[in-house]
Amino acid sequence: MPSRLTSRRWIALPLIVAALLGLAALAGDRWSRARATRATDTTALATARSHAALLASELQKFRLLPLVLVEFPDVRAAITGSAASQARLNAQLEQLAMRTDAANLYVIDARGRTVAASNYRARTSFVGQNYSFRPYFRDAMRRGASELFALGTVTGRPGFYLARRVDADGRALGVVVVKVEFGAVEAAWARSSGASFVVGPQNVLLITSRADWRFRSIGPVAPAVAAAARRTLQFGIAPPLPAPLVVSGRTAIAGADRYRIGVVAAPIAGARLIHLTPLAPALAAARTLALLWGLGATLFAGIVGAIAIRATERRRLQRQAHARLEREVAARTAELREANDRLRVESDERADTDRRYRAAREELAQANRLGTLGQITAGVAHEINQPVAAIRTFAENGAILLDRGSPDATRDNLRRIVGLADRIGTITAELRGFARKRTPAGGTATLADVIDGTLILIGERARGRITVDAADAARETRLAGDRVRIEQILVNLVQNALDAIGEGAGHIVITATAGVDTMTVTIADTGPGVADDIRDALFTPFTSNKPAGLGLGLAIARDIAREFGGELALAPDGPGARFVLTLKVAR
């Protein structure tokens, strides 16, 4: 029984799905047609209003012309038969037509004969033509003004005729006529989708973007109206034929195309402007949207169904898997126990390996620290030699001054010896600083104090061989950093410069320039300079330009400069060596 019920369900499922799809397709089609109709109606009405505004704008500029022309002095003279006036009026009308883009301007006397026209030069000139049969002439003579859309009897071109009566002393002399053609307007309409046309009170298409529809009718034309049109040649010799258009409510059908109608009043008496917007594009877009929604809904339903089927299948598989799992648990328990024993052994081995790794890492770190302390110790020994030599010199000079009976000078030498001893203590303190973690040195010192201390440390060897070029403002500028350690930088540089120039006539220049945030100190000598093969490694420990040098002074000097936020570099130019020391100005 369960198998038979399942078979019936699988047979009924496709039928249900097909029925649902059919209903969805029917509902989607109705929704698409309603949406497309609304959208097309909106477009048709908006386009009709736009085209009516364009037509009204075009007519507005021509409706003033007849009012202006009736006031021309030569109009009345030409109607009364003055040949000179007629000649002048022809030229005036021709020029005015060119300026206003009017199709034709002409003047008709009271008998209906044209006495002057803007096209008097053309083969189809209106001059001499009789238009007494035209309704616009008769109506203008009777009422004073008239408008009519008709086919030109001479040019064969359709146009809108604006007529105005010319009066003199209460007597009607004739009519001034302005003919307007709408080729530009119709071309503009044709650029829109669909078709636009003006339907006159006789249900005849007057102005249209479809030239083959002009003077066709879209409704019944009364026999009297048709007879009058033939008599006045308003639409030509032939009567208006029905347009290839079937109108039903707001829907129009032309051939295989279906349109929606937008209707507004036209700026011509008794006329209306109709725009036909094709329904097919909006319908295609709506059907595409409905199809996308349908596909989305179908996809969603398919996903939900697939999830449900998958859930059912998963529960079945879970039951089977649970049964297999229970059978395998017993077998896997023994395997897991053995694996646990192996993991315990591997864990002990990894712990032993980690202990050996940590011990080796500590030994390597200790070796690195010992190597660093060795470099620092060598550097400290190098730096202590200078103040020790100065202490010896001051002590020897103090003994001589004491013998000469100069206690003040002797006392000054003793003060300097105390200062140099403090200097040695400061330098040796650096050794302990490198052996343990310490906070960066702080404090400030003026450039003048630093230079004076440097010259004192170097002593007699520098006398007369060093020139300091620094303005008073630069000398009094306070530098960010410990004074003793900045002196240590200058002592290294000046001592190296003295070694480079030897005992000859060489010279050293110390130049200082103060900026807003930094102070630049340049130490230049006239020695042989730095060898090219060691320039790149000059600041590396144990690299020296001197045969007996340790090569630590410059490395230590650069480290001190960088500790205070500055820099020490070898300049590429100069006949000798030129070092540039940059230090930050204290705030």
Side-chain angles (χ1 to χ4, degrees):
M1 285 298 293
S3 176
R4 185 176 299 175
L5 289 175
T6 303
S7 300
R8 289 179 180 178
R9 289 174 183 174
W10 283 109
I11 293 173
L13 183 60
L15 297 177
I16 296 173
V17 171
L20 291 175
L21 290 177
L23 291 174
L26 181 60
D29 184 69
R30 290 186 177 180
W31 178 86
S32 301
R33 288 185 179 279
R35 179 183 176 88
T37 299
R38 289 193 300 269
T40 307
D41 286 347
T42 302
T43 302
L45 185 59
T47 306
R49 288 172 177 169
S50 173
H51 290 179
L54 178 63
L55 179 60
S57 174
E58 185 74 10
L59 283 176
Q60 186 63 31
K61 67 180 181 180
F62 290 111
R63 282 194 163 119
L64 298 176
L65 272 180
L67 298 175
V68 176
L69 286 175
V70 296
E71 301 299 329
F72 274 30
D74 287 330
V75 169
R76 292 176 177 80
I79 291 176
T80 57
S82 172
S85 298
Q86 291 175 357
R88 287 195 302 271
L89 185 58
N90 281 330
Q92 292 172 357
L93 294 177
E94 180 184 40
Q95 187 177 22
L96 187 60
M98 287 189 297
R99 290 181 177 178
T100 61
D101 290 331
N104 294 112
L105 305 175
Y106 51 103
V107 179
I108 306 173
D109 62 16
R111 294 171 298 174
R113 187 179 63 87
T114 303
V115 297
S118 60
N119 63 349
Y120 71 98
R121 301 175 187 270
R123 182 176 58 83
T124 57
S125 172
F126 293 173
V127 177
Q129 297 289 333
N130 192 304
Y131 293 109
S132 60
F133 65 94
R134 283 292 202 182
Y136 63 79
F137 171 75
R138 296 197 303 269
D139 292 343
M141 289 294 290
R142 185 171 62 255
R143 298 195 303 264
S146 178
E147 295 180 354
L148 179 69
F149 194 97
L151 182 68
T153 57
V154 176
T155 62
R157 298 171 60 86
F160 190 61
Y161 295 86
L162 305 170
R164 188 81 180 179
R165 187 177 63 200
V166 181
D167 295 325
D169 300 328
R171 183 168 59 91
L173 297 181
V175 174
V176 171
V177 183
V178 176
K179 182 182 179 183
V180 183
E181 295 180 359
F182 300 100
V185 173
E186 291 175 337
W189 290 359
R191 285 192 288 271
S192 299
S193 176
S196 294
F197 48 83
V198 174
V199 180
Q202 307 95 335
N203 290 330
V204 177
L205 279 61
L206 305 178
I207 307 170
T208 174
S209 60
R210 296 280 298 269
D212 56 332
W213 288 8
R214 183 175 287 110
F215 298 148
R216 297 290 189 98
S217 65
I218 61 169
V221 179
V225 173
R230 286 197 301 272
R231 185 174 61 255
T232 60
L233 301 179
Q234 182 178 0
F235 307 127
I237 300 173
L241 298 175
L245 191 67
V246 178
V247 178
S248 175
R250 296 193 62 180
T251 301
I253 300 175
D257 298 324
R258 184 178 294 270
Y259 301 88
R260 294 295 292 176
I261 297 175
V263 183
V264 295
I268 298 175
R272 62 191 188 278
L273 190 147
I274 298 176
H275 179 75
L276 307 181
T277 299
L279 184 62
L283 185 58
R287 284 175 173 168
T288 300
L289 182 60
L291 179 61
L292 291 176
W293 278 103
L295 290 176
T298 302
L299 180 61
F300 177 76
I303 292 174
V304 171
I307 291 174
I309 294 172
R310 179 61 179 168
T312 302
E313 183 69 13
R314 183 179 299 170
R315 286 193 296 270
R316 185 181 66 82
L317 294 176
Q318 284 177 349
R319 288 193 298 269
Q320 294 178 356
H322 182 71
R324 287 196 302 270
L325 182 61
E326 289 180 346
R327 291 193 298 269
E328 293 178 1
V329 165
R332 291 292 182 90
T333 300
E335 296 178 2
L336 289 175
R337 192 176 294 111
E338 294 177 1
N340 189 35
D341 295 338
R342 290 196 300 271
L343 286 175
R344 189 179 295 107
V345 173
E346 292 178 1
S347 177
D348 294 340
E349 293 177 353
R350 288 183 179 180
D352 185 60
T353 302
D354 184 64
R355 285 192 297 272
R356 291 198 302 272
Y357 164 73
R358 291 179 182 275
R361 187 175 63 180
E362 290 298 327
E363 292 176 1
L364 181 60
Q366 180 65 19
N368 180 266
R369 285 195 293 271
L370 291 176
T372 303
L373 287 175
Q375 292 183 6
I376 296 300
T377 302
V380 168
H382 177 79
E383 294 299 327
I384 288 177
N385 284 337
Q386 297 167 354
V388 167
I391 288 173
R392 179 182 178 86
T393 300
F394 283 130
E396 292 174 350
N397 290 342
I400 295 173
L401 292 172
L402 188 63
D403 293 339
R404 291 179 180 177
S406 300
D408 292 338
T410 304
R411 189 176 295 106
D412 183 62
N413 276 15
L414 291 175
R415 282 197 302 271
R416 292 183 178 181
I417 290 172
V418 172
L420 291 172
D422 292 339
R423 166 73 169 168
I424 292 173
T426 301
I427 293 173
T428 55
E430 292 298 320
L431 184 61
R432 294 191 301 273
F434 278 107
R436 68 179 183 273
K437 186 177 181 181
R438 55 172 290 173
T439 58
T444 60
T446 63
L447 179 65
D449 293 339
V450 172
I451 292 178
D452 291 343
T454 301
L455 296 178
I456 289 173
L457 285 174
I458 295 175
E460 291 294 330
R461 188 181 179 194
R463 185 168 297 172
R465 312 189 74 185
I466 298 177
T467 300
V468 179
D469 182 9
D472 292 340
R475 286 177 175 270
E476 297 304 321
T477 300
R478 286 198 166 273
L479 305 175
D482 181 64
R483 180 182 64 80
V484 175
R485 303 193 72 190
I486 297 176
E487 284 180 8
Q488 185 176 349
I489 300 173
L490 289 182
V491 166
N492 268 291
L493 297 175
V494 174
Q495 188 68 44
N496 289 342
L498 289 171
D499 292 341
I501 62 177
E503 300 299 331
H507 197 70
I508 300 170
V509 178
I510 301 176
T511 307
T513 305
V516 177
D517 298 317
T518 59
M519 166 77 72
T520 301
V521 181
T522 304
I523 298 90
D525 62 60
T526 57
V530 180
D532 293 337
D533 57 343
I534 65 169
R535 273 182 173 271
D536 295 338
L538 188 61
F539 293 96
T540 303
F542 305 108
T543 299
S544 177
N545 200 36
K546 298 179 289 186
L550 291 176
L552 291 174
L554 289 177
I556 295 172
R558 172 180 270 187
D559 290 341
I560 295 172
R562 289 179 174 176
E563 181 181 349
F564 296 143
E567 185 56 80
L568 177 62
L570 174 65
D573 54 345
R578 189 165 72 93
F579 289 87
V580 179
L581 172 63
T582 304
L583 296 170
K584 297 185 73 173
V585 175
R587 292 295 182 184

